[in-house]
Amino acid sequence: MDEYVLRVENLVTEFKTDRGPLKAIDGVTLQVKRGEMLGLVGESGCGKSVTSMSVMRLYDEKTTVRYEGSVWLGDTDLMSIPYKKMQDIRGREIAMIFQDALSSLNPVLRVSDQIMEPLITHQHLKREDAYRKAVEMLRLVGIPSPETRVDQYPHELSGGMRQRVMIAIALCCRPRLLIADEPTTALDVTIQAQILDLILDLNRQMHMGVILITHDLAVVAQVCQRVAVMYLGQIVEEAEVAELFNHPLHPYTQGLMDSIPKLDGDSRHRLHMIRGTVPLLNQIPRGCRFAPRCPYADAACSAAMPELTQAGGHLVRCRKAGFTDKKVTPDE
Amino acid sequence: MNKDLNAPILSAERAAMWFPVRGGLGKTTGYVKAVDGVSVQLHARQTYGLVGESGCGKSTLGRLLCRLLEPTDGRITLFGQDISHLKERELVPFRSRIQMVFQDPYTSLNPRIRIGDALMEVLAIHHTGSRSEQMEKALGILDQVGLRQEHFYRFPHEFSGGQRQRIGLARALILNPEIVLCDEPVSALDVSIQSQIINLLCDLQAERSLTYLFISHDMSVIRYISDRVGVMYLGHLVEESDTEEIFSHPAHPYTRMLLSAVPSIVPGDKTDRIRLQGDPPSPLDPPKGCVFHTRCPYAKKECGEKSPELSELAQGHYCACPIAAAGN
């Protein structure tokens, strides 16, 4: 089981802007095993989507972005192969699904053409074979009457079905790794539950690694085995799901979990608030990036950036992680 | 004004909103029954939570209640007066007493108008006070929603999402309304900001004795903030009850499924989920009989024939499902 599908080591993604470079991701290290589902959570602007886009090398490297570090897919470092070679990797080895299925599907192509495209480019199937495979894929992702649906256009499908089509396209070449970037955010809860079940099911059947990117902690708690929490371009905590949700060590993780209203909790007490807002990328605080919003921070926290260190089965980036486990009432 | 303390301050009686669908040549070819015969009552100082999936008609009902839309059928009563078919002019005195906060704080503010002017504009429309009094009021309200006075001269793009939602709230509250309709006010916000806004809403309600209609698709937020909850599905109110009751004893199959679809933050929880199959039908062509029977696992033959009425299961707990009412 210790076979890693993907190892990201010290990944840095820096955007070139008119006002100088902006580091959207600063030293992200991640591993995904075969058959494992890793959750990547954080609030908007924390760099979770940039991480996935960088793994796929989807940014324009000539004009907008500079990478550092390495992304190992098996024995290949994706960061050092020629850019053109990435086209063989995308869709075949690593596939991706996005939040908004309507804008990721081509509105003027039939569903069949869009599923057949990767099959023809990567697996060199004949059109008839690819078409048959497309119907089969639609059946696999649970679309009723796939024989008729396959000839329809994206606008004729509902939101949930579009997301199923996206999954069918992503999985038709049996990739080793699936990156799902907020796959259920635009969907209603009942449809969200269906799509999550489907991803979980296919992950077990095909034994691929999955990175599930979301802002919804509860989604991660339900389907992932491991979870990494990001804040301002860095991973601040990583652990097994049960471990992280039962004993969050980083003050940011704790704050996030306390600020969610619970379905079975006491609704008469005030919700916990993390003070302040996420700083802009060009105003990253010195030292620990969470220090200005942290209820436990002291002068030493702002002096030096804490490293991601092993603590009680977690990887955590906080010099006080040991102390903050005990629930101290933070000052507002 | 209200002699009867138990009388609702805002209510809808069998309200319906049918939007005509026009085919070629402008002919009406059908209707989208966005809201179809819904009755709700808002009592003073309470929060009524309206929950449902997209397209269920919860926002349309909200707009009907504050008469941004004119109902096709039924009656809207505000402070004891029938306002269902009043003209725009006649509605003006009511507008200052019922205000609205919208979901998207990015599009609900005019990008070219300074925050202070946006706030004072509201007062100018309702002819309240001199210009200096208006400015004083605007500065005061900024303070109350947790913004600073220097924000008065800024433009919307200079604010974060959470701050913009505070501005939206300030603009709704500046006229001292009694009722505020909040349409998904926290859905576009990150969780840490969401909790700040929810707490602010609760504080303001206590300070100003506000009545809220809180529309959301998020069951946990609804549970946290509401006193009474209505669940909508395809233009119909399928269940209504006090918050504790509906979350501990959900009766309608749809409510049960909605609750069981909400992911829990406790890992390994919810292994015995009830699965809801398929997508909601189109409101253009809703199913006959009970609107939910096409997706309902308990549906019997008669569910597809007769549209169920709300019946009282327990004190104040209404449910539109004959099977649930029979005790199953």
Side-chain angles (χ1 to χ4, degrees):
Chain A
M1 268 309 276
D2 272 315
E3 181 194 339
Y4 290 113
V5 193
L6 184 81
R7 283 179 298 135
V8 178
E9 280 167 10
N10 277 320
L11 182 67
V12 174
T13 305
E14 200 174 72
F15 289 98
K16 298 166 189 164
T17 69
D18 294 345
R19 296 186 202 157
L22 270 188
K23 261 189 199 172
I25 295 196
D26 197 358
V28 164
T29 298
L30 283 175
Q31 293 91 30
V32 187
K33 287 180 208 155
R34 245 187 113 210
E36 182 183 53
M37 264 179 106
L38 171 77
L40 198 57
V41 292
E43 296 182 282
S44 29
C46 72
K48 50 193 195 302
S49 290
V50 178
T51 308
S52 66
M53 295 286 278
S54 307
V55 166
M56 294 280 262
R57 280 176 72 182
L58 282 172
Y59 293 113
D60 185 348
E61 287 162 36
K62 286 199 188 104
T63 56
T64 54
V65 79
R66 187 180 67 82
Y67 297 120
E68 264 174 47
S70 40
V71 175
W72 293 94
L73 182 77
D75 312 322
T76 343
D77 179 8
L78 298 184
M79 284 298 160
S80 57
I81 63 172
Y83 189 72
K84 281 220 144 177
K85 276 258 177 179
M86 275 308 290
Q87 283 180 7
D88 296 336
I89 307 275
R90 291 188 204 121
R92 177 153 69 182
E93 306 281 351
I94 309 180
M96 200 163 173
I97 46 180
F98 298 91
Q99 170 173 352
D100 188 355
L102 185 59
S103 56
S104 334
L105 290 170
N106 188 333
V108 297
L109 287 186
R110 289 173 202 279
V111 168
S112 56
D113 292 321
Q114 305 194 44
I115 307 181
M116 284 156 63
E117 191 185 318
L119 289 168
I120 292 169
T121 5
H122 291 309
Q123 299 190 337
H124 312 292
L125 292 187
K126 288 205 197 93
R127 272 195 77 85
E128 311 80 271
D129 296 337
Y131 185 85
R132 219 169 301 133
K133 181 88 196 256
V135 176
E136 201 182 298
M137 285 310 295
L138 287 184
R139 185 168 297 126
L140 181 75
V141 297
I143 289 187
S145 50
E147 295 83 3
T148 46
R149 291 294 183 186
V150 76
D151 292 323
Q152 290 186 324
Y153 290 94
H155 74 265
E156 299 176 80
L157 308 175
S158 70
M161 263 200 272
R162 282 179 205 138
Q163 201 54 280
R164 284 176 196 268
V165 169
M166 284 294 296
I167 295 173
I169 296 172
L171 299 185
C172 66
C173 292
R174 301 210 153 233
R176 280 193 266 177
L177 178 74
L178 174 70
I179 301 177
D181 191 350
E182 305 263 12
T184 59
T185 308
L187 305 174
D188 281 315
V189 277
T190 55
I191 310 296
Q192 163 171 291
Q194 291 174 8
I195 297 293
L196 287 177
D197 278 353
L198 175 68
I199 295 177
L200 198 60
D201 240 29
L202 294 172
N203 157 256
R204 285 185 189 137
Q205 265 180 48
M206 300 189 169
H207 225 69
M208 61 192 168
V210 177
I211 301 181
L212 180 72
I213 296 173
T214 177
H215 68 279
D216 191 337
L217 286 163
V219 165
V220 168
Q222 291 311 300
V223 297
C224 294
Q225 284 106 56
R226 235 153 28 86
V227 51
V229 182
M230 285 190 77
Y231 183 75
L232 269 184
Q234 293 181 324
I235 291 184
V236 294
E237 187 166 5
E238 188 187 329
E240 302 285 321
V241 160
E243 198 34 55
L244 187 110
F245 282 91
N246 294 329
H247 312 284
L249 291 184
H250 197 282
Y252 177 61
T253 321
Q254 293 174 352
L256 272 188
M257 297 219 278
D258 289 345
S259 51
I260 305 171
K262 317 247 175 340
L263 213 47
D264 46 6
D266 173 18
S267 53
R268 290 296 140 233
H269 72 97
R270 277 172 74 79
L271 286 177
H272 173 78
M273 295 190 277
I274 301 180
R275 64 182 169 197
T277 50
V278 182
L280 297 175
L281 278 177
N282 55 9
Q283 295 161 2
I284 288 179
R286 271 174 52 84
C288 171
R289 295 184 172 186
F290 187 59
R293 302 178 70 193
C294 179
Y296 313 102
D298 55 28
C301 289
S302 307
M305 157 109 73
E307 291 297 315
L308 203 56
T309 44
Q310 197 82 37
H314 296 230
L315 281 171
V316 58
R317 194 187 287 278
C318 175
R319 31 182 300 281
K320 301 188 132 191
F323 304 100
T324 53
D325 190 21
K326 294 178 211 87
K327 290 262 164 150
V328 188
T329 324
D331 48 309
E332 288 270 318
Chain B
M1 223 168 289
N2 270 324
K3 282 172 202 120
D4 185 2
L5 276 173
N6 289 321
I9 58 172
L10 173 60
S11 66
E13 256 172 82
R14 303 212 153 262
M17 187 70 223
W18 294 10
F19 295 104
V21 182
R22 295 191 203 286
L25 303 173
K27 260 178 129 177
T28 302
T29 53
Y31 291 95
V32 172
K33 299 177 180 176
V35 172
D36 200 10
V38 172
S39 306
V40 289
Q41 286 154 10
L42 266 74
H43 291 273
R45 298 177 191 199
Q46 280 205 335
T47 301
Y48 189 99
L50 207 52
V51 70
E53 295 181 282
S54 36
C56 72
K58 51 191 194 303
S59 288
T60 306
L61 181 61
R63 277 156 201 262
L64 276 179
L65 282 170
C66 61
R67 268 304 315 276
L68 287 177
L69 291 172
E70 188 176 342
T72 322
D73 195 14
R75 203 155 66 153
I76 311 289
T77 315
L78 180 63
F79 306 114
Q81 195 176 337
D82 184 355
I83 59 161
S84 330
H85 302 287
L86 290 188
K87 294 194 186 69
E88 273 307 315
R89 274 177 152 237
E90 301 166 322
L91 279 168
V92 172
F94 291 101
R95 294 263 185 249
S96 62
R97 299 171 71 182
I98 177 163
Q99 288 282 310
M100 209 162 170
V101 179
F102 299 93
Q103 167 173 6
D104 189 350
Y106 291 84
T107 52
S108 55
L109 291 169
N110 186 334
R112 299 177 62 175
I113 293 185
R114 290 176 203 274
I115 299 313
D117 294 328
L119 291 173
M120 283 163 62
E121 185 188 25
V122 183
L123 294 172
I125 288 169
H126 288 273
H127 311 291
T128 15
S130 66
R131 219 178 136 70
S132 62
E133 278 167 18
Q134 289 175 0
M135 187 160 169
E136 209 165 289
K137 255 194 169 164
L139 288 170
I141 201 86
L142 279 179
D143 186 50
Q144 282 192 39
V145 296
L147 292 169
R148 290 192 302 274
Q149 303 214 330
E150 67 251 37
H151 290 145
F152 189 86
Y153 291 108
R154 299 228 180 124
F155 285 102
H157 73 264
E158 297 173 75
F159 294 91
S160 67
Q163 283 175 320
R164 284 183 216 211
Q165 204 51 291
R166 286 174 196 267
I167 296 165
L169 205 53
R171 198 174 48 173
L173 291 179
I174 197 164
L175 286 168
N176 261 323
E178 287 146 79
I179 306 174
V180 180
L181 300 180
C182 308
D183 192 353
E184 303 262 14
V186 296
S187 307
L189 307 174
D190 276 317
V191 280
S192 69
I193 309 300
Q194 175 177 307
S195 63
Q196 293 176 359
I197 299 294
I198 292 177
N199 281 342
L200 177 65
L201 282 169
C202 292
D203 291 346
L204 289 167
Q205 179 168 41
E207 277 164 32
R208 295 166 160 255
S209 317
L210 292 171
T211 306
Y212 287 141
L213 176 74
F214 195 93
I215 299 171
S216 179
H217 67 276
D218 188 329
M219 298 293 273
S220 349
V221 171
I222 285 282
R223 148 116 211 244
Y224 183 80
I225 206 161
S226 314
D227 298 300
R228 199 166 169 78
V229 176
V231 181
M232 282 188 77
Y233 183 77
L234 226 63
H236 291 259
L237 194 69
V238 296
E239 187 165 3
E240 186 193 36
S241 173
D242 290 340
T243 309
E244 282 310 310
E245 167 74 11
I246 206 166
F247 280 89
S248 50
H249 304 108
H252 198 282
Y254 178 64
T255 316
R256 290 193 195 177
M257 260 150 239
L258 207 53
L259 277 170
S260 100
V262 180
S264 155
I265 196 163
V266 184
D269 203 5
K270 300 247 171 146
T271 41
D272 53 342
R273 277 203 279 216
I274 330 167
R275 281 286 173 268
L276 194 51
Q277 298 302 320
D279 298 306
S282 154
L284 238 179
D285 182 23
K288 289 209 169 56
C290 170
V291 279
F292 187 58
H293 86 270
T294 49
R295 300 170 83 195
C296 180
Y298 310 108
K300 291 182 184 158
K301 205 168 148 251
E302 56 265 34
C303 293
E305 289 156 9
K306 206 167 135 258
S307 182
E309 293 287 316
L310 282 174
S311 60
E312 192 165 11
L313 298 185
Q315 173 83 42
H317 187 167
Y318 297 90
C319 173
C321 177
I323 299 171
N328 293 308

